[in-house]
């Protein structure tokens, strides 16, 4: 299916040369995306590529990347309808709102992590909520893969055993964090500078605000699992750990943050 | 004389908290709230709050002489080892017990304010429509899990607020705005996700069709007498 911009192209306030440059940039992105439309797994069947603009005329820094896999790829552990709504509605909205909030501010060219930390530092809860949720979701999608779970790459597994006693003990601790995050929140595995630690956060919370470096996250907002598991959050959590986690991605994160 | 009485450790000790029955079928609020949601919400979510509350109270049996309302109001004074559990689960139990009474099948009750409540709404908000707008705005703005509330403030006027998780405006030292709730709406995703998914605004708009204003009026009148 062809991808169309969800908003009209705003060229007001731009000089002629800028108008042409912007229109070209936007149209070439759309053309590029449409050239790939037969590969439904690349952009997904319902993705609308939003082209929000700043007064400087270029696309926003906080992006909505496509899922790393097809919307049906995690069935039956996470359903197509869940992924479609979770990505195309929830995640997309956080991105759009965060971009609206940073437009015209000194953050409008910052990357997402920078916006998250600046918002946290400034006590700007509304911006933090949206920017952090944009960050958290992009990270979450990559933490999963079709036919995930299984064995953990050695370097990461060794560190887990060192810091938690065993892989089973780590999984139990991570599951407990996910199951006891009351209301909406996230479970995390992060590097704190000397060891791996498990945390739970509420709302949009992210351990980066405490100087930690996340390597794995799991969304436990009800929208992440309710269509598939209803009240049975513990079943979702177990399924996530056993069959969804992309341990290669987590291991790569670990290598990166401990370099 | 004691034959047939329930065993109690102390005359004022409450029996363990139990799930109250609904006065209508799970399907009775269709199409505004779906039957599956009502069933799971009542038999799983509300039941879990009750189970967890009872577990917490078993650790401090002296708290069993407090009413559910008192546990909510005094939550910040409770023993530290059960304070959060009682805030979350005692709050959840109270909130949901009331929630079922704040809804009723279409046409079985008044679905709009009447009497002195209507007068108070007109005075404090201008109209019922304005009240709904402001209430829905509070409900829409609640980030993550929580509730939106209409309540009677300490000065007797009506107010609207929202709280996170299972907090409510009765909780001294917890709620931003202290009020006696007379109407509450659950905006945890489990309250609407099966039918509305991300479309919380559609849930809010639909919900007013089934609000039981007879209950709201009763609560308002009782509060006005105090």
């Amino acid at each position: 299916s062809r991808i169309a911009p969800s908003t009209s192209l705003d060229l007001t306030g731009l000089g002629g040369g800028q108008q042409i440059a912007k229109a070209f940039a936007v149209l070439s992105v759309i053309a590029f995306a449409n050239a790939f439309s037969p590969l439904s797994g690349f952009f997904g069947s319902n993705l609308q590529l939003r082209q929000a603009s700043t007064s400087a005329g270029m696309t926003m820094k906080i992006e909505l990347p496509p899922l790393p896999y097809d919307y049906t790829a995690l069935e039956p552990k996470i359903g197509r309808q869940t992924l479609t709504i979770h990505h195309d509605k929830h995640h997309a909205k956080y991105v759009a709102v965060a971009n609206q909030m940073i437009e015209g501010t000194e953050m409008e060219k910052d990357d997402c992590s920078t916006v998250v930390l600046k918002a946290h530092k400034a006590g700007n809860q509304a911006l933090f909520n949206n920017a952090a949720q944009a960050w958290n979701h992009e990270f979450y999608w990559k933490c999963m893969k079709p036919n995930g779970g299984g064995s953990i790459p050695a370097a990461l597994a060794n560190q887990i055993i060192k810091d938690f006693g065993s892989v089973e003990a780590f999984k139990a601790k991570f599951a407990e964090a996910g199951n006891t995050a009351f209301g909406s929140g996230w479970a995390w595995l992060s590097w704190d500078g000397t060891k791996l630690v498990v945390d739970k956060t509420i709302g949009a919370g992210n351990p980066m605000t405490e100087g930690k470096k996340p390597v794995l996250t799991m969304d436990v907002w009800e929208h992440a699992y309710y269509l598939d598991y209803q009240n049975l959050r513990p079943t979702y959590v177990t399924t996530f750990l056993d069959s969804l986690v992309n341990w290669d991605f987590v291991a790569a994160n670990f290598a990166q943050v401990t370099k | 004389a004691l034959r047939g009485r329930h065993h109690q450790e102390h005359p004022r000790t409450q029996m363990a908290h139990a799930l109250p029955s609904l006065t209508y079928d799970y399907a009775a609020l269709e199409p505004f709230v779906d039957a599956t949601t009502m069933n799971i919400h009542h038999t799983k979510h509300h039941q879990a709050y009750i189970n967890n509350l009872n577990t917490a109270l078993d650790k401090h049996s002296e708290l069993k002489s407090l009413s559910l309302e008192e546990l909510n109001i005094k939550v910040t004074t409770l023993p530290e080892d059960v304070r959060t559990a009682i805030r979350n689960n005692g709050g959840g139990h109270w909130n949901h017990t009331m929630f079922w009474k704040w809804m009723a099948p279409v046409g079985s009750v008044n679905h709009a304010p009447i009497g002195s409540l209507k007068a108070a709404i007109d005075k404090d908000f201008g109209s019922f429509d304005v009240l709904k707008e402001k209430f829905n705005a509070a409900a829409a703005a609640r980030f993550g899990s929580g509730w939106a509330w209409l309540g009677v403030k300490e000065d007797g006027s009506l107010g609207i607020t929202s709280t996170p998780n299972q907090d409510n405006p009765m909780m001294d030292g917890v709620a931003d705005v202290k009020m006696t709730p007379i109407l509450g709406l659950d905006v945890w995703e489990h309250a609407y996700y099966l039918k509305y998914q991300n479309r919380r605004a559609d849930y809010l708009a639909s919900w007013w069709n089934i609000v039981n204003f007879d209950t709201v009026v009763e609560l308002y009148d009782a509060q006005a007498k105090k």
Side-chain angles (χ1 to χ4, degrees):
Chain A
S1 57
R2 300 192 69 75
I3 295 167
S6 62
T7 57
S8 54
L9 194 57
D10 183 0
L11 299 173
T12 57
L14 299 179
Q18 288 176 308
Q19 289 190 7
I20 292 165
K22 176 176 170 177
F24 180 79
V26 171
L27 291 171
S28 58
V29 173
I30 294 169
F32 178 82
N34 282 326
F36 279 81
S37 64
L39 300 174
S40 63
F42 195 85
F43 280 104
S45 52
N46 293 314
L47 181 61
Q48 288 180 307
L49 196 64
R50 274 172 231 241
Q51 297 300 320
S53 60
T54 64
S55 52
M58 301 314 286
T59 54
M60 288 299 186
K61 206 60 164 72
I62 299 177
E63 290 159 2
L64 178 69
L67 289 181
Y69 29 75
D70 197 70
Y71 291 90
T72 58
L74 304 184
E75 293 263 10
K77 303 157 209 167
I78 297 183
R80 178 199 56 78
Q81 194 190 14
T82 296
L83 285 188
T84 304
I85 295 166
H86 201 173
H87 178 269
D88 295 358
K89 303 293 183 187
H90 292 280
H91 184 180
K93 187 169 181 201
Y94 295 128
V95 169
V97 174
N99 280 327
Q100 274 162 29
M101 288 180 171
I102 63 175
E103 179 171 359
T105 74
E106 56 90 15
M107 288 180 283
E108 73 181 4
K109 298 291 181 61
D110 285 340
D111 68 22
C112 196
S113 308
T114 304
V115 176
V116 171
L117 293 172
K118 284 185 180 177
H120 172 75
K121 193 165 177 202
N124 185 341
Q125 189 67 51
L127 176 57
F128 178 81
N129 285 347
N130 286 282
Q133 283 293 79
W135 195 99
N136 297 346
H137 283 85
E138 182 173 347
F139 194 63
Y140 171 62
W141 306 131
K142 295 192 258 189
C143 284
M144 296 188 289
K145 68 173 197 177
N147 305 309
S151 61
I152 300 175
L156 175 60
N158 289 339
Q159 188 72 42
I160 284 174
I161 291 164
K162 180 162 182 278
D163 295 332
F164 297 96
S166 66
V167 169
E168 293 65 40
F170 152 68
K171 285 185 175 181
K173 196 138 195 210
F174 190 87
E176 194 201 4
N179 286 323
T180 60
F182 191 71
S184 306
W186 299 78
W188 300 89
L189 178 65
S190 307
W191 181 251
D192 77 352
T194 59
K195 62 187 183 304
L196 289 170
V197 293
V198 164
D199 291 298
K200 60 188 177 189
T201 60
I202 52 168
N206 182 313
M208 294 192 309
T209 60
E210 296 175 337
K212 298 175 191 170
K213 300 189 177 175
V215 301
L216 168 64
T217 196
M218 174 177 67
D219 191 350
V220 290
W221 281 59
E222 287 174 328
H223 64 237
Y225 63 87
Y226 211 79
L227 297 180
D228 303 309
Y229 298 93
Q230 291 84 63
N231 58 300
L232 298 174
R233 188 192 287 190
T235 309
Y236 158 71
V237 168
T238 303
T239 303
F240 178 89
L241 279 167
D242 290 349
S243 317
L244 284 168
V245 178
N246 181 346
W247 288 113
D248 291 335
F249 175 69
V250 183
N253 293 335
F254 173 67
Q256 177 72 21
V257 303
T258 53
K259 260 206 292 229
Chain B
L2 292 178
R3 212 176 305 152
R5 276 186 68 181
H6 298 291
H7 170 71
Q8 289 179 328
E9 291 166 27
H10 180 283
R12 264 198 83 201
T13 304
Q14 307 283 329
M15 296 297 291
H17 295 277
L19 187 68
S21 302
L22 304 191
T23 58
Y24 42 82
D25 290 342
Y26 291 128
L29 304 182
E30 292 266 11
F32 308 108
V33 182
D34 60 293
T36 306
T37 294
M38 287 301 295
N39 187 328
I40 296 172
H41 204 173
H42 184 241
T43 63
K44 307 293 182 191
H45 292 282
H46 188 178
Q47 183 68 66
Y49 295 128
I50 291 166
N51 296 345
N52 295 339
L53 174 62
N54 286 332
T55 300
L57 293 174
D58 281 343
K59 295 181 190 168
H60 283 274
S61 55
E62 75 280 7
L63 297 178
K64 293 184 183 180
S65 63
L66 296 177
S67 70
L68 182 58
E69 191 177 308
E70 286 172 312
L71 286 172
N72 275 258
I73 293 169
K74 297 178 184 178
V75 69
T76 57
T77 69
L78 299 178
E80 212 185 318
D81 62 328
V82 291
R83 189 179 304 157
T84 298
I86 293 179
R87 174 175 175 173
N88 290 345
N89 296 286
H93 180 27
W94 191 90
N95 296 344
H96 286 82
T97 297
M98 294 308 298
F99 190 50
W100 313 132
K101 297 189 217 180
W102 279 322
M103 298 187 291
V106 175
S108 66
V109 296
N110 285 296
H111 296 296
I114 55 172
S116 50
L117 173 63
K118 180 179 188 311
I121 286 172
D122 289 346
K123 174 167 173 286
D124 291 333
F125 296 99
S127 69
F128 180 38
D129 281 347
V130 173
L131 164 66
K132 284 194 277 189
E133 248 175 64
K134 295 195 168 191
F135 187 96
N136 289 348
R142 173 44 59 184
F143 183 75
S145 306
W147 290 72
W149 305 99
L150 171 68
V152 180
K153 295 189 283 191
E154 284 167 322
D155 66 0
S157 67
L158 292 172
I160 287 171
T161 193
S162 78
T163 52
N165 294 343
Q166 294 299 344
D167 292 351
N168 60 54
M170 295 192 304
M171 294 177 173
D172 268 343
V174 165
D176 285 345
V177 180
K178 180 136 167 84
M179 307 190 299
T180 301
I182 61 172
L183 178 62
L185 171 61
D186 191 345
V187 292
W188 281 60
E189 287 170 329
H190 65 237
Y192 62 90
Y193 212 81
L194 295 181
K195 182 176 173 70
Y196 295 98
Q197 294 87 55
N198 60 300
R199 302 181 312 278
R200 190 188 285 188
D202 289 351
Y203 165 60
L204 304 181
S206 289
W207 181 71
W208 291 99
N209 287 290
I210 46 162
V211 172
N212 183 345
F213 266 95
D214 293 351
T215 301
V216 185
V217 163
E218 209 179 287
L219 291 166
Y220 177 75
D221 290 345
Q223 197 56 31
K225 286 196 179 99
K226 291 186 185 169

